[in-house]
Amino acid sequence: MRFTYAEAMTRADYYAPLAQAAEAAGYTSMTVADSLIYPEESDSTYPYTDTGDREFLDGKEFIEAMVLCAHLFAVTSTLRLTPFVLKLPVRPPVLVAKQASSLAALSGNRLGLGVGISPWPEDFAALGVPWERRGKRMDECIDIVRGLTRPQDPDGGQEYFSYSGEFYEVASLKQTPAPTARLPLLVGGHADAALRRAVRRGDGWMHAGGDGEELDRLLARLAEIRREEGDTREDFEVHVISYDAYDPDGIKRLADKGVTDCIVGFRVPYVVGPDTEPLEKKIAHLEQYAENVIAKVEG
């Protein structure tokens, strides 16, 4: 089992010391949240809270996800970073591929690229991308990012890549530097289409939270889809948020269900107004978990 520390919607200047503390405490990874805009008016609802309210996002400090990854990679040496999740189909996929390859090259392949479809039509409108057929657009974006981030040859060379789809035409090109190892593409979302996309096009799935019964249903469905698709990969990643992750026995139960990565946080971020928890308390929480759970699981 690997362990990912999650913190979001806090002060921007907290992220670097938190990443350093998580690395020192033995976490494998840290999530990086993505939020692009906060519209003054919106009829949209947030799909991962009980009420659907989105007011908790108002005024929160969000550094653009790929920029924050670069910042945190510069102050760590082993910690993996996982955008959770990058709103991919509103972004130009060739640009995302360039950013991801650059981050992988600078960090020694420490990027796990979590991607998803934004639930906000306003994100699409603000970036000039149609909301309609966003799932198909997402598929094409993943294919392009995958093709342009293929590991370079042992001699340092990189193959040309081209693409012809419904939404994107990419003439034969290459981007250098390329990753020296496969860049994991981790697909987020709870819809059946997202689970199948994770299996068909991704290297893993990222769970966005919910109760244990719903998680069990999603894990069972994910396993069913993998069987249907003939997917026997041993390195397929399954990242989940679960109360079971907070004690060693629960970790064993999650591992038995096929979970490879536990995402843990120590406060509820969906609150209106600024995060008032001191940095020192955040670090104490992540260190206590590492001592009480990670150290015992890893023996």
Side-chain angles (χ1 to χ4, degrees), residues 93-297:
V94 174
L95 175 60
V96 173
K98 183 62 177 178
Q99 292 171 322
S101 290
S102 297
L103 288 171
L106 290 172
S107 68
N109 302 308
R110 289 190 282 138
L111 179 68
L113 187 59
V115 296
I117 299 176
S118 172
W120 314 125
E122 295 85 0
D123 280 345
F124 285 80
L127 286 133
V129 178
W131 170 254
E132 295 75 21
R133 306 212 64 211
R134 55 197 176 278
K136 173 61 175 173
R137 185 180 295 273
M138 173 74 164
D139 289 342
E140 293 193 13
C141 286
I142 291 175
D143 290 346
I144 292 168
V145 173
R146 168 76 76 208
L148 287 172
T149 59
R150 288 174 298 184
Q152 64 187 22
D153 299 332
D155 62 1
Q158 178 70 353
E159 296 180 3
Y160 284 92
F161 171 80
S162 62
Y163 187 85
S164 180
E166 180 179 343
F167 299 105
Y168 301 100
E169 293 285 337
V170 179
S172 184
L173 57 83
K174 60 182 175 181
Q175 295 177 324
T176 306
T180 56
R182 184 178 177 87
L183 174 70
L185 289 173
L186 311 170
V187 178
H190 291 184
D192 208 67
L195 299 177
R196 194 169 295 277
R197 183 175 292 118
V199 174
R200 286 182 171 177
R201 285 182 158 84
D203 299 296
W205 173 67
M206 298 196 78
H207 171 234
D211 62 39
E213 184 176 339
E214 173 67 2
L215 174 59
D216 285 346
R217 184 193 70 79
L218 290 167
L219 290 173
R221 180 59 180 145
L222 181 67
E224 182 180 30
I225 291 172
R226 293 190 67 190
R227 289 192 296 270
E228 291 173 358
E229 298 290 337
D231 180 18
T232 59
R233 288 172 292 177
E234 295 184 357
D235 59 353
F236 187 83
E237 300 183 21
V238 180
H239 296 238
V240 307
I241 300 169
S242 169
Y243 285 118
D244 271 349
Y246 292 87
D247 71 78
D249 289 339
I251 294 293
K252 176 65 165 57
R253 290 192 294 271
L254 290 172
D256 289 343
K257 296 174 184 178
V259 174
T260 62
D261 295 76
C262 289
I263 303 171
V264 296
F266 308 105
R267 71 178 183 92
V268 177
Y270 305 121
V271 294
V272 175
D275 174 18
T276 59
E277 185 178 58
L279 176 63
E280 294 75 16
K281 189 173 182 179
K282 293 181 185 297
I283 292 175
H285 283 155
L286 71 85
E287 289 178 338
Q288 184 178 30
Y289 179 87
E291 179 181 348
N292 293 336
V293 179
I294 297 178
K296 292 179 180 178
V297 169

